[in-house]
Amino acid sequence: QVQLVESGGGLVQPGGSLRLSCAASGSIFSINVMYWFRQAPGKQRGLVASITRGGSTNYADSVKGRFTISRDNAKNTTYLQMNSLKPEDTAVYYCNAMISDLQGYGRSYWGQGTQVTVSS
């Protein structure tokens, strides 16, 4: 069984920083693309950033220059460094990954989400 567990959310003032982590565990053969999504109250879940196994990254326009996604393939972990946070960044942040298990079966997995609140 494969699972993703996020950590690092919390309350931060505008202009502050947070670092989210997402660790995959279980019967993992390989992890392809890893993603961070977010969902604010009353809004649809949207893509924040993605990173391939080789390290190629992509960002939503709203976070370019402020957020940085990275990953440690040896630890099956992805990170989201969030700087210059704004109140509009307040949301539940979810990790997602395309994972192949030891039986060779691949599918998308979601973490449980971590709350990020930006407020003074």
Side-chain angles (χ1 to χ4, degrees):
Q1 180 153 352
V2 175
Q3 65 178 46
L4 298 177
V5 177
E6 299 106 333
S7 61
L11 173 64
V12 64
Q13 291 187 342
S17 298
L18 281 176
R19 188 193 194 207
L20 306 183
S21 299
C22 171
S25 62
S27 302
I28 297 170
F29 176 72
S30 67
I31 303 177
N32 192 358
V33 187
M34 302 187 83
Y35 304 87
W36 286 98
F37 287 80
R38 67 185 180 186
Q39 187 168 19
K43 295 188 176 181
Q44 287 189 327
R45 191 173 298 187
L47 179 64
V48 175
S50 65
I51 184 167
T52 67
R53 184 171 181 80
S56 296
T57 59
N58 196 25
Y59 297 93
D61 288 343
S62 59
V63 306
K64 282 181 180 177
R66 300 188 298 121
F67 290 11
T68 302
I69 188 172
S70 61
R71 65 189 283 175
D72 184 333
N73 290 329
K75 295 182 178 180
N76 290 332
T77 299
T78 183
Y79 307 95
L80 187 67
Q81 177 66 43
M82 304 185 295
N83 299 328
S84 302
L85 282 160
K86 305 174 181 180
E88 51 264 43
D89 294 318
T90 295
V92 178
Y93 284 71
Y94 296 91
C95 174
N96 176 273
M98 297 299 298
I99 298 176
S100 295
D101 62 23
L102 296 180
Q103 286 71 46
Y105 179 66
R107 72 171 182 90
S108 173
Y109 290 85
W110 288 93
Q112 82 286 356
T114 185
Q115 176 70 46
V116 172
T117 302
V118 185
S119 175
S120 55

